[in-house]
């Protein structure tokens, strides 16, 4: 049994029109929501064995804040450009590279790829909001076996969710 937690980056800032999309930092709301959402994972005792993140600034910051709140070593987060603007297929390819001994993987990135991935694996949402978290339990022994037939929705959480 493997567990996948898909985490969309926190709210990003649009203050500087000269910044590239890749370089956009978190907005004030993002800096507020990211640690709160990490604490919700902590309250549910959901901890990663590995973290994989887009190398875009807003995704990196979200991953680093989450790691800090869950006491995960920041130097063990794997950052990759392959998750920036990735399709569901591209994201799956990166997940499939995860080592077999990793049981719970956190992945940080972007829409629309994350929406497509959640839909592909059998999740039913219109949109994964910023700082949103979507978990799947996977009936697999190796990450290369990930498929919709082996995925079950575990949870869906986001900053404005009540209860």
């Amino acid at each position: 049994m493997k567990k996948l937690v898909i985490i969309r980056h926190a709210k990003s800032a649009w203050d500087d029109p000269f910044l590239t999309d890749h370089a956009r930092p978190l907005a004030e709301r993002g800096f507020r929501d990211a640690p709160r959402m990490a604490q919700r994972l902590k309250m549910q005792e959901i901890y990663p064995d590995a973290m994989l993140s887009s190398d875009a600034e807003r995704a990196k910051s979200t991953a680093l804040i989450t790691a800090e709140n869950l006491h995960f070593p920041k130097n063990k987060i794997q950052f990759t450009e392959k998750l920036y603007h990735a399709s569901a297929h591209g994201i799956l390819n990166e997940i499939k590279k995860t080592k077999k001994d990793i049981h719970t993987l956190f992945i940080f990135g972007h829409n629309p790829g994350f929406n497509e991935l959640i839909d592909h694996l059998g999740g039913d949402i219109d949109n994964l909001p910023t700082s949103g978290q979507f978990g799947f339990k996977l009936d697999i022994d190796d990450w290369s076996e990930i498929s919709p037939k082996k995925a079950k929705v575990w949870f869906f959480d986001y900053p404005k969710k009540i209860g």
Side-chain angles (χ1 to χ4, degrees):
M1 173 76 67
K2 305 286 186 196
K3 295 175 183 174
L4 175 66
V5 179
I6 299 166
I7 302 173
R8 185 175 173 201
H9 64 79
K11 185 73 176 169
S12 57
W14 292 82
D15 303 343
D16 186 345
F18 298 105
L19 277 182
T20 65
D21 179 68
H22 192 271
R24 276 193 294 119
L26 292 182
E28 185 177 321
R29 189 172 105 202
F31 281 111
R32 184 183 70 234
D33 288 347
R36 286 180 182 167
M37 293 305 295
Q39 288 299 315
R40 288 191 195 180
L41 290 167
K42 191 174 187 176
M43 287 188 313
Q44 297 297 317
E45 297 184 7
I46 300 171
Y47 295 96
D49 296 314
M51 288 184 165
L52 179 61
S53 177
S54 161
D55 68 347
E57 188 59 37
R58 59 195 180 274
K60 281 172 45 176
S61 294
T62 305
L64 289 165
I65 290 167
T66 302
E68 182 176 321
N69 278 268
L70 298 180
H71 307 290
F72 183 87
K74 292 179 184 180
N75 64 336
K76 293 200 174 182
I77 302 169
Q78 183 182 346
F79 297 103
T80 177
E81 76 282 351
K82 292 180 180 176
L83 291 177
Y84 179 64
H85 288 312
S87 65
H89 178 75
I91 298 164
L92 277 172
N93 284 341
E94 293 307 303
I95 292 169
K96 288 178 179 183
K97 295 176 187 176
T98 304
K99 293 179 183 173
K100 187 176 181 172
D101 64 336
I102 301 299
H103 296 287
T104 303
L105 174 65
F106 283 20
I107 186 165
F108 298 83
H110 316 269
N111 280 344
F114 274 3
N115 284 339
E116 294 168 5
L117 177 62
I118 291 165
D119 184 57
H120 174 73
L121 292 175
D124 185 21
I125 63 167
D126 292 327
N127 179 54
L128 183 63
T130 53
S131 295
Q133 306 166 340
F134 203 101
F136 286 98
K137 289 186 176 181
L138 306 160
D139 187 19
I140 58 175
D141 293 319
D142 192 290
W143 289 98
S144 64
E145 302 168 355
I146 190 170
S147 74
K149 291 178 183 174
K150 308 231 175 177
K152 289 197 166 117
V153 172
W154 179 18
F155 70 89
F156 174 35
D157 196 8
Y158 51 95
K160 293 182 181 178
K161 186 176 181 180
I162 297 172

